[in-house]
Amino acid sequence: MSETYRALTRKYRPTSFEDIVSQEHVSSTIKNAIKQGRLSHAYMFCGPRGVGKTTMARVLARTINEIDTSVDGESLNQTLNIVEMDAASNNKVDDVHHLRESVRIPPQNGRYKVFIVDEVHMLSKAAFNALLKTLEEPPEHAIFIFATTEPHKVLPTILSRVQRFDFKRISVDEIVQRLRKISLDEDISIDEESLHVIAKKADGALRDALGLMDQAIAFCGETITHNELLQALNVVGTERLFQFMECVKEHDADKGLELINTLLQEGYDIQEYLIGLTEHLRNLYIAHESSQLYLVEESEETKKRYLQTAKNFSREDLMRMLHIISEAQIKLKDASQPRIQFEITLLKLIHMEQSEQLSELLKGLQELKKNFGNFVSTSQNSSLQKNGATKTDSTSPQSQNNGDSNGVQKEEQEADEPELSVQDSEEPEDEEASYDQDVEEEDDFDMGAPALATSLSKKVKASQKPIQKTEPAIAESASRQNKEEASHAKLTTEFVREKWEEYVNSLKGDFPMLLHLQMERVKVLKVKGGELYLECESSFAQKMLNEQSTDLQIKLKEFTGSVLRFNISVGEPDEKDKPMSVYERFKQIQQKDPIIRDIVEIFGAELEY
């Protein structure tokens, strides 16, 4: 390598509008303005790093002053007609004053004098203001070209005096085409996959891509291989990402841990790997639709592999994985043990069940529920039919011997009676019978089909027997209701109020303290029938008492001898209980405290207000 070697970023800097990559919207406008003689006195080139802002400014200056291509772009500043200034290091008012003095001097051997100010957003506010008048009304021979990566930091008064052009990021395919041409000119052997790795690593900046290309040539020589390039740039290759997705597909946690350990041993950054995995999952999501595969910025061979791998995962699963990875990137910034957090995240992906399997499981449960319901319905019908046939056989001999149609209709009616008796049968007489019935139903759930049918048949027969006890049961229920009404009639409002204080005091140990305090503020209004009307002070207290009303009613029975239902309402606060305003409170303090009254008299009405 010769001593005069120049980096690729300097050697291949464009010298014409045609050489500038992916900024046709800017170059076409400027070329038309030159042809029509409609050049503006000031331009603002905005955009991310490495996309050609300064290069476009130099090409414009070269073109309008007709400077030969033999003069290098970096040497244009040495001519008398082109002045370049770095605002990052010359951002003071004195630097702008020097620039204004240079504007007065006309060009020596050209038509225009061009002033290129790079990173113009670094100028101070005072420097911007010093430049305003000159920028608004410059001499006819002066053209200003500003370049910046942060246009939002430039004063609006400056932006209103320039023509603004926004440069866009360069696509991966355009960077690959440019690198391929340069590799042929430099006689460098490099495969297509490696070109895509460099282009993606550059993140839309051609200057960064040329710098990475220089680094790859220094590491690999004139023959650049994919594996060596990944090692040189410390980039996570797609092969490792496909290997991990295979572990996710097979739910192979052991192989996944080995892969994680290998990555960390090779020095890969955890955040870089998660970023690469996020892009990999995004590409798999897009690969579900082959018509949108142009959105995947990879080689044709890798795109085909994405199409094959995407079939193993649904889009719902990929979205769940992307959500897990995005949360992990946030947590890793504050994690005290990043490696363990990283391993936990990847193990979550490996152990995650696919949504298709969950859907099949839910579908199976629905089918099982449906089939079991049909099975129970069939068993009930068979038991009812069997019970109806038994009752038909037990009819009188006269009905059996009689073959006329009336006997047949009577048998059909009697056969239908068990089903009606199941629906119309009365409830168990006491709680123990109800509990035994529930236990029997739970036991029936674990029985087989024959035992379940037999149990249902027994229940149908048993349901017919209590029909004869309907009248005594009704009489007992009516008697019980009459007793309760009689006991309620004995209770008066005065009696409940007498017992109320003793009742509230008894709540102290058995109920929460907050509930006891609320009950102390409750007022007994009246007793009507079996209902006790109470009044509380707020909706919060009303809600609390309603939630505990059942337990409070049972406790009250110990003092009144009968259960009373609570009817709780919220009362209006008295005038004396209403909260005092700040102004009234301050007036009250003045009346009580003579010192404060004296202070108010000294400082006047403002302090009083």
Side-chain angles (χ1 to χ4, degrees), residues 288-398:
H288 272 272
E289 292 291 337
S290 57
S291 60
Q292 295 182 334
L293 205 59
Y294 67 91
L295 297 174
V296 178
E297 297 177 332
E298 294 288 350
S299 62
E300 293 299 325
E301 183 180 353
T302 306
K303 288 182 179 179
K304 293 178 181 177
R305 194 168 180 184
Y306 273 119
L307 285 174
Q308 294 294 328
T309 308
K311 298 177 182 178
N312 300 325
F313 305 95
S314 65
R315 280 192 161 184
E316 291 77 12
D317 291 333
L318 294 173
M319 284 302 301
R320 291 162 61 197
M321 295 178 191
L322 284 169
H323 180 69
I324 293 174
I325 294 297
S326 61
E327 283 188 344
Q329 290 178 344
I330 298 173
K331 292 179 180 178
L332 275 172
K333 295 178 181 179
D334 301 325
S336 58
Q337 294 178 316
R339 172 169 180 164
I340 295 178
Q341 189 68 35
F342 176 60
E343 291 177 344
I344 291 173
T345 302
L346 299 187
L347 287 174
K348 280 183 182 179
L349 302 181
I350 293 173
H351 288 288
M352 187 182 72
E353 292 292 338
Q354 295 188 7
S355 58
E356 294 179 357
Q357 296 179 355
L358 295 176
S359 299
E360 292 177 0
L361 180 60
L362 292 174
K363 185 177 179 181
L365 289 174
Q366 292 293 337
E367 290 292 332
L368 180 62
K369 182 178 179 181
K370 182 179 178 181
N371 294 335
F372 180 76
N374 293 335
F375 165 72
V376 172
S377 178
T378 304
S379 302
Q380 289 177 347
N381 291 335
S382 62
S383 63
L384 293 177
Q385 292 174 3
K386 182 178 178 181
N387 194 12
T390 303
K391 187 169 183 179
T392 302
D393 293 339
S394 63
T395 55
S396 62
Q398 183 178 358

Side-chain angles (χ1 to χ4, degrees), residues 446-500:
D446 297 330
M447 294 179 181
L452 182 60
T454 304
S455 175
L456 290 173
S457 178
K458 290 179 179 179
K459 289 181 181 180
V460 172
K461 292 180 180 179
S463 65
Q464 301 172 12
K465 296 179 181 179
I467 295 176
Q468 301 174 359
K469 299 181 180 180
T470 301
E471 294 180 359
I474 292 175
E476 183 178 352
S477 176
S479 176
R480 187 185 308 157
Q481 185 174 0
N482 292 332
K483 290 180 180 179
E484 291 179 357
E485 291 178 355
S487 62
H488 291 157
K490 295 179 181 179
L491 294 177
T492 61
T493 306
E494 290 74 13
F495 177 74
V496 174
R497 286 175 177 171
E498 290 177 2
K499 298 291 184 180
W500 187 257

